[in-house]
Amino acid sequence: QVQLVESGGGVVQPGRSLRLSCATSGFTFNRNAMHWVRQAPGKGLEWVAVTSYDGSNQYYADSLKGRFTISRDNSKNTLHLQMNSLRIEDTAVYYCAKDLANSGSVEYWGQGTLVIVSS
Amino acid sequence: QSALTQPPSVSAAPGQRVTISCSGSSSNIGRNHVCWYQQFPGMAPKLLIYDSNKGFSVISERFSGSKSGTSATLTITGLQTGDEADYYCAAWDSSLSVTMFGGGTKLTVL
């Protein structure tokens, strides 16, 4: 049974940094690409980034390039999202998600962790 | 990076059939498979349809998907009040190397 458990969310001031983590189990982590997707309050889903199964490639939403960094630790079956220079508009629920057969689509989702950027 | 285009809302009566469209371009839907997701308020999305037309896991056969050219469609038959949710389409964009989501469609079962 695939399990994705996000952590690290909370309230942070604009301009500060935050690091999200996602602990995974129930599948072979080092064989699957992984995504972060976010959802602002009352809004739709917004794709954030994806990392390849071995961490050699990362792709980002244009609007987030340079501020967010996706990474993974295959020895610990864990995914991370480093978020720098946070803005009010980064307030959202952040979902960790498992890729579907390295297709670029999302198969399984975590329950999400809420990030609130506020002064 | 523009999102895939979905109608903001659709509605139909219980027992009826509803379709939700998703429009993209040659670099995303035109080239890659489409997924559909169902999301209830306060919950994480769940995969309904993958590879454009395959039902995922134990999804009801009332849900089906199709794709033609640069557009995709989610069809729900025998509507139930429990189907009221937000529905999103998504596809990988091969030119931009990003995953694109539709803006979401709110389904109301009248």
Side-chain angles (χ1 to χ4, degrees), chain A residues 4-23:
Chain A
L4 308 169
V5 180
E6 302 93 338
S7 61
V11 181
V12 61
Q13 292 180 326
R16 304 297 290 266
S17 298
L18 205 60
R19 189 191 196 208
L20 306 182
S21 297
C22 174

Side-chain angles (χ1 to χ4, degrees), chain A residues 35 37 39 43-47 50 59-63 65 95 99-100 103-112, chain B residues 1 33-35 37 39 42-47 50-51 56-57 88 90-92 96-103:
Chain A
H35 300 255
V37 180
Q39 187 170 34
K43 302 296 184 183
L45 300 172
E46 180 186 14
W47 180 78
V50 63
Y59 300 102
Y60 297 90
D62 265 354
S63 60
K65 272 181 194 173
Y95 294 104
D99 191 88
L100 173 64
S103 66
S105 295
V106 169
E107 182 181 19
Y108 287 101
W109 303 71
Q111 284 306 111
Chain B
Q1 297 161 350
H33 285 302
V34 177
C35 287
Y37 304 91
Q39 185 181 35
M43 304 293 289
K46 287 189 176 179
L47 179 61
Y50 71 102
D51 286 358
F56 182 70
S57 189
Y88 295 88
W92 177 253
L96 299 174
S97 295
V98 298
T99 297
M100 305 199 78
F101 281 94

Side-chain angles (χ1 to χ4, degrees), chain B residues 54-97:
Chain B
K54 296 183 174 64
F56 182 70
S57 189
V58 293
I59 295 303
S60 169
E61 290 183 355
R62 297 186 298 107
F63 294 87
S64 63
S66 63
K67 188 183 90 165
S68 178
T70 59
S71 294
T73 301
L74 174 69
T75 300
I76 311 171
T77 58
L79 271 176
Q80 301 175 359
T81 55
D83 296 332
E84 282 202 343
D86 293 323
Y87 293 86
Y88 295 88
C89 61
W92 177 253
D93 190 294
S94 298
S95 294
L96 299 174
S97 295

Side-chain angles (χ1 to χ4, degrees), chain A residues 76-95:
Chain A
K76 296 181 179 178
N77 296 340
T78 302
L79 179 71
H80 299 289
L81 183 68
Q82 178 67 41
M83 304 185 294
N84 297 331
S85 303
L86 282 162
R87 305 169 181 169
I88 302 278
E89 55 265 33
D90 294 320
T91 294
V93 173
Y94 285 75
Y95 294 104

Side-chain angles (χ1 to χ4, degrees), chain A residues 34-71:
Chain A
M34 295 292 296
H35 300 255
W36 286 99
V37 180
R38 70 181 184 180
Q39 187 170 34
K43 302 296 184 183
L45 300 172
E46 180 186 14
W47 180 78
V48 172
V50 63
T51 176
S52 59
Y53 68 97
D54 60 357
S56 62
N57 292 292
Q58 299 84 35
Y59 300 102
Y60 297 90
D62 265 354
S63 60
L64 300 174
K65 272 181 194 173
R67 292 196 301 125
F68 287 18
T69 302
I70 188 172
S71 64

